[in-house]
Amino acid sequence: MNAEILAVGTELLLGDIVNTNAQYIARRLADIGVNVYYQSVVGDNESRLYKSFELALERADIVITTGGLGPTNDDLTKETATAIAGKPLVLDQKSLEWIESYFSKLGRKMTENNRKQAYFPEGSVIFHNEYGTAPGCAIEVGKKKIILLPGPPREMKPMFENSVIPYLTQFQDGVLVSKVLRICGLGESQVVDMLKDIIDAQTNPTIAPYAKTGEVTLRITSKAKTRDEASKKIFPVEEKIRNILGNHIYGEGEDTTLESVVAEMLIRHNKTIAVAESCTGGLLAARLVNYPGISSVFMEGAVTYSNASKIRQLSVKEETLSKYGAVSKETAEEMAKGICQSAGTDIGISTTGIAGPGGGSAEKPVGLVYSGVCIDGEVFSKKFSFTGDRQNIRERTVISVLDWVRRILSEKYI
Amino acid sequence: MNAEILAVGTELLLGDIVNTNAQYIARRLADIGVNVYYQSVVGDNESRLYKSFELALERADIVITTGGLGPTNDDLTKETATAIAGKPLVLDQKSLEWIESYFSKLGRKMTENNRKQAYFPEGSVIFHNEYGTAPGCAIEVGKKKIILLPGPPREMKPMFENSVIPYLTQFQDGVLVSKVLRICGLGESQVVDMLKDIIDAQTNPTIAPYAKTGEVTLRITSKAKTRDEASKKIFPVEEKIRNILGNHIYGEGEDTTLESVVAEMLIRHNKTIAVAESCTGGLLAARLVNYPGISSVFMEGAVTYSNASKIRQLSVKEETLSKYGAVSKETAEEMAKGICQSAGTDIGISTTGIAGPGGGSAEKPVGLVYSGVCIDGEVFSKKFSFTGDRQNIRERTVISVLDWVRRILSEKYI
């Protein structure tokens, strides 16, 4: 069974709003094993909308639309779908009563054009709208189906969960289960290279890599008759991947992040941390503070952007700064040690680098970053080279440093 | 001239990511007067991609794709467009050198599959990718054009601004000039309400409002035969808008940000600043450090997440913390004063609040934030209430505090 998502609305074509509905529906369809091969957006234009319906019905078993169910004249989705289906519009009394009660609750009078929202093509399955005046519906067109949903996400999503998912699952055989692995320290093409044989050999489960800033995500998806069976198919493939990628895999699951992995290790081993930042200017601390439970281990952060503050707050030696420069292995190490001591923590991390656009030289180009880690008295440092603009260099610094710290922690505390 | 946006990527069909590229491109095309009648999404599948190209070329003068320019075998957009255009792929030496240098800067070896990113259909106009290894290009297909852009927004957007807009405007008659006004402290609907008469009355220039987290942007766009003429049309409309919105307009232009406005005021008046953060955990410092020239005025930041660090680093009184709590007007004021004194700066800013998800109470709910400003010895504080999740509350805090500081600075130092 495959579906196509058709979003209707000139505001989407003008870029006034982002089509988050398509993502939501696509993800939920993937969850229940309905394939989506196309998504489209069309404006509030009758002839283009008609053509879009024709095309979608040619390509897919189910066409799911969002938007264009409102009361005004430029809301054309239902009328156009009705024309495609070749069925008459029929009043649904229950929907009319709902719409009337909706207005009376708001203390407003229902306008005459809201009546049209209670009409549906004959034989439709009607989906109640808990949060608005536009009910949705499913219309049979031969062996295919058109599902009409309202545009506002807060109306569409509950309708999708409460009505559309149950409606669709009655036609299904098989279940999809997917698992996400999160990778840091390798580029997407490296990951694909390393997993080439596994990826090429697989059809069920499938393995899909996605890249985002500084990270790669692998989604392993399997299909089977039951959830349990599908889950079992994932396991051996996951094991093979883990054997190859090893510690580059930092976690699994939709909500796992580098900072959550680091924070959970710190909490598990009851180790406190403090950070001293120069080029990242607070981003590293902010990233750790993303994690809601961080307060039990994260003591403080120091944004020591000036040399004076590196000396005063972190006891970096003037001599070190003048001999090696602020962006150096030596300064990074003293910063890490300094924040450890002043904050009284088990672990201190530092960053110092040239984020640009100015400040670079042949010897120390823009993108050069040093990080220091002081852990239980031992001090390490690492040199990084990044490309990109100022923001990008700073973001990549945070990710790379967090990943490095994660690796140190997992070696030290396992 | 009309265009169609075709996003390529199975991750979009699976709902793993939102198609923000389509919105960005749609909005920018609307700005320069190019109509968009359809947007589509298709997966990394050769035959469906081919059909999508055929269909789009039938419906539009220009087909703009995003995604599928990567080095791996499932990146098929360029290959498919090349087949559609019926042209051979030719190596672009300059692009190859760029890709090689990109990898060598990262300290990684270019893998063989990255070479394919330097090949383009013969006769293409090639668009440099400042932030990645996938250059874009424009291919002529008869009288129509295909424009291929990379998928990652941080690569696509600069390429769109620097290469695609100039490429497209050469085919337009008349010149478009636009000016961006940046607004903080008002919601989008408030702005639209206040400017209703002006917006309704205008056709050339047009006035388009866009909302992003905590800010509103107004783009005034005029069309005329010459740049000069178009610019002149903008002036009287801009003046009317400025009269109505006043100091809510914090700046103008694409690259202006709240932090750049604040930073430039500080630099102009030679005032140094330091920040003390609790709930924002480094985000406020990081936002100021976004501004490349900040080092002459930004001395240091303290992320005092624990009460102990508030006392030790900022000399907040224990009594204040126990009597009023860490999230209070009193603590915010002492934090601002404390950072001013310890860093020896003219200005100190503080944030303390409940970002959630836990930690709220009836009296002090999640979203309650206090900020303090100490400026030339005077201390102010302000209470904010935000809704949203942890990240959202922290981001809004940073924006609102920066906007508040901007208003204080502009009153004090004009």
Side-chain angles (χ1 to χ4, degrees), chain B residues 174-193:
Chain B
V175 188
L176 281 173
V177 170
S178 66
K179 179 157 193 179
V180 166
L181 298 180
R182 302 194 161 270
I183 295 147
C184 204
L186 294 171
E188 188 187 7
S189 54
Q190 283 175 293
V191 170
V192 171
D193 233 41

Side-chain angles (χ1 to χ4, degrees), chain A residues 222-235:
Chain A
S222 76
K223 193 170 190 171
K225 281 210 178 107
T226 66
R227 250 195 112 67
D228 211 44
E229 221 180 292
S231 297
K232 274 185 192 147
K233 282 190 181 178
I234 288 179
F235 184 68

Side-chain angles (χ1 to χ4, degrees), chain B residues 318-335:
Chain B
E318 269 198 77
E319 197 200 327
T320 307
L321 289 169
S322 61
K323 191 166 171 191
Y324 302 105
V327 180
S328 65
K329 170 181 154 60
E330 290 76 9
T331 300
E333 290 182 358
E334 287 188 19
M335 285 172 72

Side-chain angles (χ1 to χ4, degrees), chain B residues 4 13 24 37 71 96 134 162 188 196 198 208 257 263 272 322 355 389:
Chain B
E4 182 156 338
L13 290 185
Y24 186 88
Y37 296 132
L96 183 63
N162 300 330
E188 188 187 7
K196 199 178 176 309
I198 304 179
T257 58
T272 54
S322 61
D389 65 8

Side-chain angles (χ1 to χ4, degrees), chain B residues 160-174:
Chain B
F160 199 87
E161 293 305 321
N162 300 330
S163 303
V164 180
I165 296 265
Y167 174 81
L168 289 175
T169 43
Q170 66 178 316
F171 306 114
Q172 292 210 313
D173 56 313

Side-chain angles (χ1 to χ4, degrees), chain A residues 34-99:
Chain A
V34 175
N35 292 318
V36 174
Y37 297 133
Y38 299 95
Q39 298 171 3
S40 313
V41 177
V42 65
D44 305 310
N45 172 288
E46 203 168 351
S47 85
R48 284 192 286 270
L49 183 52
Y50 194 95
K51 279 187 215 156
S52 297
F53 265 118
E54 281 186 320
L55 177 67
L57 281 170
E58 223 172 81
R59 299 192 292 201
D61 304 317
I62 304 161
V63 179
I64 301 179
T65 71
T66 54
L69 300 186
T72 66
N73 286 336
D74 64 355
D75 290 304
L76 300 163
T77 311
K78 194 165 59 187
E79 289 68 16
T80 311
T82 306
I84 286 272
K87 294 180 181 174
L89 278 169
V90 182
L91 175 71
D92 179 59
Q93 193 58 39
K94 233 175 100 186
S95 295
L96 183 63
E97 282 162 22
W98 166 255
I99 298 167

Side-chain angles (χ1 to χ4, degrees), chain B residues 386-405:
Chain B
F386 301 105
T387 55
D389 65 8
R390 182 174 176 86
Q391 262 52 283
N392 209 256
I393 288 169
R394 293 166 68 214
E395 259 178 59
R396 282 179 179 263
T397 299
V398 169
I399 293 167
S400 303
V401 168
L402 275 176
D403 188 44
W404 179 48
V405 170

Side-chain angles (χ1 to χ4, degrees), chain B residues 153-276:
Chain B
R154 68 176 202 99
E155 300 177 24
M156 187 282 289
K157 288 181 189 176
M159 190 183 290
F160 199 87
E161 293 305 321
N162 300 330
S163 303
V164 180
I165 296 265
Y167 174 81
L168 289 175
T169 43
Q170 66 178 316
F171 306 114
Q172 292 210 313
D173 56 313
V175 188
L176 281 173
V177 170
S178 66
K179 179 157 193 179
V180 166
L181 298 180
R182 302 194 161 270
I183 295 147
C184 204
L186 294 171
E188 188 187 7
S189 54
Q190 283 175 293
V191 170
V192 171
D193 233 41
M194 289 165 82
L195 301 180
K196 199 178 176 309
D197 294 345
I198 304 179
I199 292 175
D200 287 352
Q202 289 297 331
T203 52
N204 184 16
T206 56
I207 302 160
Y210 310 119
K212 59 172 199 170
T213 311
E215 291 191 25
V216 179
T217 291
L218 275 186
R219 184 183 289 272
I220 312 169
T221 307
S222 75
K223 193 170 188 171
K225 282 211 177 108
T226 66
R227 251 196 110 67
D228 209 47
E229 222 179 291
S231 298
K232 273 185 193 148
K233 282 188 181 179
I234 287 178
F235 183 70
V237 178
E238 181 189 345
E239 203 180 55
K240 275 189 214 165
I241 294 172
R242 284 190 179 273
N243 283 339
I244 293 169
L245 299 181
N247 199 26
H248 293 301
I249 299 174
Y250 73 78
E252 58 181 64
E254 297 287 353
D255 300 325
T256 299
T257 58
L258 263 176
E259 61 267 25
S260 73
V261 169
V262 169
E264 280 158 19
M265 274 201 269
L266 294 170
I267 292 167
R268 201 162 52 244
H269 297 287
N270 199 23
K271 294 283 171 187
T272 54
I273 195 166
V275 303

